[in-house]
Every structure is written in C-alpha cells, then in structure tokens.
C-alpha cells in the first residue's frame, strides 16, 4: 500500500509509504490520505501524526505523472492529482483533532504543502522545506501559498517563493514554521510524543483555538473579540470546562472527554 495507518493510545499515525519514490504523490495516495485520516478519527484518534517512510517526507508529485503530462495534454493528467490533493487538504484541516507532521529529509512542492497543512511540524536537523515550483516553471499548489503567507507574512512568503529558497530545519524553526529541530531519525518519535500530549488536551477547546487563530487573519479586532466571546461562552457549558476548573482547584490531572 502507498499509505500505512495505525492507532495507539488515541494517536493516529499516517505514513506515506513509497520510500523508493521518495513518497511522491499519486492520485490514489492523495485520495487515501483524507479518507484514512477521517477513518482514524472515527476510530477514536484525538491527535494525528503524518510522516513519510524512508529518507524523504515527500518529493511532491510523482515524476512519472509529470513525464506523461509532457507527452500528452497536461491538464487531463495533472488536474485529478491537484483536485484530489486539495480535497484531502480541506478534509485534513476540517478534522476536529490536531495534526502533527514529522519531517525527515526533503518536503518538496506539494510535499511542503502537506507539511504546512499540519498544525505543528517537527523537523529532523537535515530536513528541508523546498518550494520547487519556479524551478519547473510552475506556481504553487497544495496550499503552499496559503499556509506560508499566513505563517510568515506576505513579504517573507513572496521572497521565499520567488527565490525558490529551500528552508533548513533551523531556519524553519526561526521563522516559526516548526518546532526546534531534533536529531535526524527522531522526528517521528518526537512528533508522536507531541501528539500524545495534545491527545490528552480538551478536544473542543483545541478545535476552537485553531478556528480563532485561522480567523484572526481575516477578521477585524471587533469581529475577532466577538468571536472569542462567542466561543468561550460555548465552552463554559461543556463538561471539559467544569472538569478542567475542578482539576485545577483540586491539583489533579483533568480527565477530558470531548463534551
């Protein structure tokens, strides 16, 4: 299979499994990505980790598809890949659980988009986020322009994309794109540890935090304050809010259950 999944202690693991092709993306793989992630949540996952097997996180689109597109009309060959990739990205961002990307080696083009789609990223010291698009006469897909601009601002995003500049793990961390780098070969282990800590957090509050941060870039201050009040008022009515407050007062670990 081009995708392997597992579920342990409420943490779902999704691994791109084409190591001989640097986990390059095919239509079948990107279709399965959204479906399998949703299935893990349905099975009880409260956090997800996305990783790639072998020396690369993801090399972007499979070159065999690109070669075929050059020999034929590009759109009929490449459009299904982009459409299904974007459908899966939307599905991943809509899941009510946090997603952590574990990145070893290069994450190129749409592979960079997959990494940026995650809520948090853990990079091995030798990992690289590589836009790659201008090098082949293309513009970004896979959400790269969206996520990168929101994370580092329009000026820095434009500079990185126009210069087609790869980002090493240390620079990505300095820009706020990733957690501090970890030794090569340990990104998955560190990402799983981070995901386990998130899985024990209150699920509804996590979802609202993500929503508020996403909306903050498009709303004015008054609208954002109104949204904050609306969301926190909703959370006051939940079991988890009461449990969190009681656990704090009683100096014990809260047992959040997601309602």
């Amino acid at each position: 299979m081009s995708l392997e999944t597992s579920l342990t202690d409420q943490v779902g693991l999704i691994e791109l499994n084409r190591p001989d092709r640097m986990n390059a993306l095919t239509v079948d793989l990107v279709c399965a990505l959204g479906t399998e992630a949703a299935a893990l949540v349905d099975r009880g996952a409260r956090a997800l980790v996305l990783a790639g097997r072998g020396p690369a996180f993801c090399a972007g689109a499979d070159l065999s598809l690109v070669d075929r597109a050059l020999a034929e009309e590009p759109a009929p060959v490449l459009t299904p890949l982009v459409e299904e990739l974007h459908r899966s990205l939307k599905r991943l961002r809509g899941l009510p659980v946090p997603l952590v990307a574990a990145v070893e080696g290069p994450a190129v083009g749409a592979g960079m988009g997959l990494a940026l789609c995650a809520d948090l990223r853990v990079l091995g010291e030798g990992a690289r986020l590589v836009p790659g698009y201008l090098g082949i006469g293309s513009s970004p897909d896979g959400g790269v322009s969206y996520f990168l601009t929101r994370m580092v601002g329009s000026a820095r995003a434009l500079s990185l994309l126009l210069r087609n500049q790869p980002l090493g793990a240390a620079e990505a961390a300095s820009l706020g794109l990733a957690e501090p780098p970890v030794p090569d070969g340990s990104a998955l282990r560190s990402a799983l540890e981070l995901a386990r800590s998130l899985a024990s957090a209150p699920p509804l509050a996590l979802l609202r935090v993500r929503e508020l941060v996403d909306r903050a870039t498009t709303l004015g201050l008054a609208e954002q304050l109104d949204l904050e009040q609306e969301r926190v008022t909703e959370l006051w009515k939940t079991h988890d809010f009461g449990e969190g407050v009681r656990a704090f007062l009683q100096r014990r670990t809260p047992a959040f259950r997601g309602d």
Side-chain angles (χ1 to χ4, degrees):
M1 283 184 63
S2 60
L3 204 64
E4 297 290 339
T5 65
S6 60
L7 178 62
T8 307
D9 297 330
Q10 296 184 306
V11 174
L13 173 60
I14 307 163
E15 294 181 282
L16 309 180
N17 187 28
R18 302 187 73 213
D20 57 323
R21 304 289 294 180
M22 296 180 68
N23 297 315
L25 302 176
T26 64
V27 175
D28 289 343
L29 189 156
V30 295
C31 282
L33 182 59
T35 300
E36 292 299 323
L40 285 168
V41 174
D42 289 341
R43 289 168 53 194
R46 285 174 53 172
L48 298 174
V49 172
L50 176 63
R53 290 188 175 179
F57 176 74
C58 177
D62 192 305
L63 288 179
S64 64
L65 283 175
V66 179
D67 288 342
R68 181 181 155 205
L70 294 176
E72 304 175 20
E73 286 293 322
V77 177
L78 295 178
T79 295
L81 177 63
V82 175
E83 286 182 344
E84 293 300 332
L85 171 63
H86 288 184
R87 187 172 290 115
S88 283
L89 289 172
K90 294 172 188 174
R91 196 166 189 181
L92 287 172
R93 290 296 294 180
L95 292 174
V97 299
L99 174 64
V100 181
V103 183
E104 299 275 8
V108 184
M112 180 175 173
L114 284 179
L116 295 180
C117 174
D119 297 292
L120 299 170
R121 282 149 294 284
V122 178
L123 274 60
E125 291 173 336
R128 304 186 311 282
L129 303 178
V130 186
Y133 295 102
L134 281 186
I136 59 170
S138 179
S139 58
D141 59 5
V144 169
S145 64
Y146 176 87
F147 295 120
L148 192 60
T149 300
R150 282 175 167 243
M151 291 174 184
V152 301
S154 58
R156 181 61 63 86
L158 191 59
S159 174
L160 294 172
L161 293 173
L162 288 180
R163 292 186 292 123
N164 205 26
Q165 180 183 348
L167 288 173
E171 186 175 4
S174 72
L175 291 174
L177 291 171
E179 303 300 300
V182 298
D184 288 336
S186 64
L188 178 55
R189 182 174 67 251
S190 297
L192 287 169
E193 291 173 358
L194 179 55
R196 279 191 287 271
S197 71
L198 295 172
S200 64
L204 294 176
L206 280 176
L207 190 61
R208 293 311 183 206
V209 168
R210 177 202 278 171
E211 179 194 11
L212 287 168
V213 172
D214 278 349
R215 298 286 297 277
T217 59
T218 59
L219 297 181
L221 175 60
E223 295 170 304
Q224 185 73 10
L225 291 173
D226 289 344
L227 184 61
E228 285 187 347
Q229 181 173 345
E230 180 180 333
R231 293 298 179 251
V232 75
T233 301
E234 292 173 354
L235 291 173
W236 290 342
K237 303 173 185 177
T238 65
H239 163 274
D240 283 354
F241 177 76
E243 167 64 9
V245 173
R246 284 190 293 270
F248 176 79
L249 295 174
Q250 296 166 8
R251 293 184 172 85
R252 60 175 175 83
T253 301
F256 296 120
R257 66 188 195 191
D259 61 0

